[in-house]
Amino acid sequence: MDVGQLSSPEMVHSNLGFPIDCDKLKKVSHFAGFSVREVVDKLNDLPPSADFKSAAGFDNTFWFTNEYHGGYISESATSLKDTFKEIKEFSPVSQRRISIVTGESGLLSCLPELARLSNLVILIDQNPILLFFLFSLFNKLSEIEDCRDEEYADLIKSAFLLTKDKVEGISFSEENALLLAMKYKEAFNEWHCFSSRERLEETKKALEKMHIHPLCTNYYDEESMKRLAKIISDEELDIVFFNMSNVLEYYHRFFEWKRYPCPIKGVDNTLYLNELPFTEETLCAYSTLIYCDERRAMTCTGDVFFEKAYQLHKLNIYYDVCGETLGEEKTDKDLILDACMKLAQMDPGTDTGKLVLHKLRNLLAHSSEEALSQLSENYHRIQKTLDKNKPYQSSSENEQKKYTFLSVIQLACGEAGLKINRYNPSSRGRRKKKAGEDSLAASGRK
């Protein structure tokens, strides 16, 4: 992909090199009440996600959202369409408004409503394949004249082929992308831009007065989130709508970016996301598609979003590691020791085993002091389990992983002011020897 092209007064490029229409940016500024061009110039200075160079390695490219009935969400649960209804009823006060969305976020089915809230939409994803596909899709959409399925199929194919020309080695087929596109259209029904000629015209008009800006970055990248937050604050912009989809469920990725050693308590996967200046009125959308029994989309306001996100993260990590959810019958005190024992028994050579430390650190970061106290008292059981786990003894590298596993527990308990009840094999031998001597002495006395 073309990266690092220089901007000129006549031409602007995204942080992945996509050419941006400057005339369009001027028109959008007329509706927005602020210089969209100035904001875009600053956004383009953000370095792209570190993963962008391995673009073709993104096997799971989510071309369209799965947050709809028939996708990942059941008929009985709330879906992204319920979020669109809230967008439609929303009445923002501020004039300097922007929206931030993750991936496709249902944009093909909500642009007329979203254009009422903000004229600059920052589209964030770490996958450059998806960003280029969506960028091509929205550029071509303005040229469509009819809402028939044939035109929709041609639009998808055109964007997909442009993407394949730009990025070599994409294994995903055009047929599969088209199949997902049709399922997506059927699911969103009257909301979809190709549901009727009237809806298509509404969508095209919305595109005329808004700018959707692709930004290749990662919510778990500290520098990018701080710089993005500074741009928004410096420009005195309000985030009126934010949809992060189910990014919170990829909790292990957080610790791939924030590596050990680091504090345990108080560190969760919203740490850098917390830099974004949400207001009390910000409409925040997120979803559960992997770990919770009920897969659904949810919304809340900006003043409670991070507390909601923390609780969701806690439920996710416990369900992932323990296979159970927290509730009245099962507290974290009941689950924490069993969960650590399960992690201690994992084979580090497997795909799941490679995430052991990520899972452990997240588990302990969300555990109560009561649960950590019980863990500290049973630390020796974890140590013995690791010693018996043969894959950890197969090489010096695995021995180091065992040491790190125990260090994470020590750090978490230490941060909670708890003393570890360590297991010492030599002292156990001394106790056995002393017990034997006492037994012989007792026999002699008889």
Side-chain angles (χ1 to χ4, degrees), residues 326-361:
L326 294 171
E328 293 181 1
E329 295 182 2
K330 289 280 187 178
T331 65
D332 62 346
K333 180 184 177 182
D334 300 318
L335 296 178
I336 182 67
L337 183 58
D338 288 343
C340 285
M341 294 290 281
K342 286 180 181 179
L343 291 175
Q345 294 169 26
M346 283 187 179
D347 182 348
T350 64
D351 289 340
T352 304
K354 292 174 183 176
L355 300 176
V356 164
L357 290 180
H358 302 324
K359 292 173 183 284
L360 178 65
R361 292 158 74 184

Side-chain angles (χ1 to χ4, degrees), residues 40-71:
V40 164
D41 283 343
K42 291 182 178 181
L43 292 174
N44 293 341
D45 286 337
L46 266 70
S49 168
D51 291 337
F52 81 93
K53 292 180 181 177
S54 58
F58 283 90
D59 295 327
N60 293 324
T61 296
F62 298 100
W63 308 99
F64 305 94
T65 182
N66 278 310
E67 297 158 295
Y68 57 81
H69 297 152

Side-chain angles (χ1 to χ4, degrees), residues 171-184:
S171 58
F172 209 84
S173 71
E174 175 185 311
E175 290 73 21
N176 284 336
L178 191 56
L179 178 65
L180 290 174
M182 290 302 180
K183 284 182 62 178
Y184 169 89

Side-chain angles (χ1 to χ4, degrees), residues 187-200:
F188 281 97
N189 212 309
E190 74 277 7
W191 290 89
H192 193 272
C193 60
F194 275 79
S195 62
S196 67
R197 183 180 292 275
E198 180 184 16
R199 186 64 175 172
L200 179 60

Side-chain angles (χ1 to χ4, degrees), residues 5-239:
Q5 298 183 35
L6 295 176
S7 297
S8 70
E10 294 76 32
M11 182 62 69
V12 175
H13 292 88
S14 73
N15 74 334
L16 276 178
F18 305 161
I20 308 297
D21 184 349
C22 289
D23 289 336
K24 171 74 178 297
L25 293 180
K26 291 178 183 177
K27 292 176 183 177
V28 172
S29 291
H30 172 70
F31 295 102
F34 60 92
S35 174
V36 175
R37 168 67 186 272
E38 288 183 13
V39 176
V40 164
D41 283 343
K42 291 182 178 181
L43 292 174
N44 293 341
D45 286 337
L46 266 70
S49 168
D51 291 337
F52 81 93
K53 292 180 181 177
S54 58
F58 283 90
D59 295 327
N60 293 324
T61 296
F62 298 100
W63 308 99
F64 305 94
T65 182
N66 278 310
E67 297 158 295
Y68 57 81
H69 297 152
Y72 280 6
I73 293 177
S74 64
E75 289 289 340
S76 59
T78 55
S79 74
L80 198 54
K81 285 200 286 188
D82 297 289
T83 302
F84 296 165
K85 293 174 185 176
E86 292 193 48
I87 293 175
K88 191 173 184 178
E89 296 170 0
F90 199 88
S91 299
V93 177
S94 168
Q95 294 299 310
R96 303 173 69 85
R97 307 189 300 264
I98 65 169
S99 294
I100 299 176
V101 301
T102 308
E104 195 271 336
S105 276
L107 289 179
L108 283 176
S109 300
C110 71
L111 288 180
E113 289 71 33
L114 196 56
R116 289 180 54 253
L117 300 190
S118 59
N119 301 105
L120 172 60
V121 177
I122 303 174
L123 196 162
I124 289 180
D125 207 282
Q126 68 168 4
N127 184 346
I129 298 175
L130 175 62
L131 290 177
F132 192 83
F133 173 75
L134 294 174
F135 181 79
S136 304
L137 200 64
F138 293 125
N139 277 348
K140 290 287 184 181
L141 184 57
S142 59
E143 303 172 7
I144 301 296
E145 297 295 335
D146 205 310
C147 65
R148 294 180 302 171
D149 283 350
E150 291 83 357
E151 276 73 15
Y152 180 50
D154 287 343
L155 173 67
I156 301 302
K157 290 177 184 177
S158 175
F160 189 80
L161 289 175
L162 282 170
T163 306
K164 289 197 77 170
D165 288 342
K166 196 73 173 177
V167 186
E168 295 180 1
I170 296 178
S171 58
F172 209 84
S173 71
E174 175 185 311
E175 290 73 21
N176 284 336
L178 191 56
L179 178 65
L180 290 174
M182 290 302 180
K183 284 182 62 178
Y184 169 89
K185 175 180 177 291
E186 292 170 9
F188 281 97
N189 212 309
E190 74 277 7
W191 290 89
H192 193 272
C193 60
F194 275 79
S195 62
S196 67
R197 183 180 292 275
E198 180 184 16
R199 186 64 175 172
L200 179 60
E201 290 304 315
E202 286 179 347
T203 302
K204 289 168 64 175
K205 286 180 181 177
L207 277 172
E208 287 178 5
K209 64 177 186 177
M210 69 192 306
H211 174 62
I212 301 174
H213 193 75
L215 187 62
C216 186
T217 191
N218 189 309
Y219 290 120
Y220 300 155
D221 183 333
E222 181 178 15
E223 181 185 359
S224 290
M225 287 301 101
K226 285 184 175 179
R227 289 177 65 175
L228 177 59
K230 188 175 188 307
I231 291 169
I232 295 171
S233 297
D234 287 351
E235 293 292 323
E236 298 181 342
L237 303 173
D238 282 338
I239 303 173

Side-chain angles (χ1 to χ4, degrees), residues 213-278:
H213 193 75
L215 187 62
C216 186
T217 191
N218 189 309
Y219 290 120
Y220 300 155
D221 183 333
E222 181 178 15
E223 181 185 359
S224 290
M225 287 301 101
K226 285 184 175 179
R227 289 177 65 175
L228 177 59
K230 188 175 188 307
I231 291 169
I232 295 171
S233 297
D234 287 351
E235 293 292 323
E236 298 181 342
L237 303 173
D238 282 338
I239 303 173
V240 68
F241 176 64
F242 173 69
N243 180 19
M244 76 171 312
S245 187
N246 70 319
V247 174
L248 288 173
E249 295 188 295
Y250 292 91
Y251 68 87
H252 55 274
R253 293 299 309 276
F254 172 72
F255 279 118
E256 290 176 17
W257 285 68
K258 187 172 181 62
R259 299 186 181 279
Y260 182 84
C262 66
I264 302 297
K265 299 301 287 182
V267 177
D268 68 90
N269 67 347
T270 63
L271 183 65
Y272 304 140
L273 185 64
N274 217 329
E275 298 285 340
L276 295 178
F278 294 147

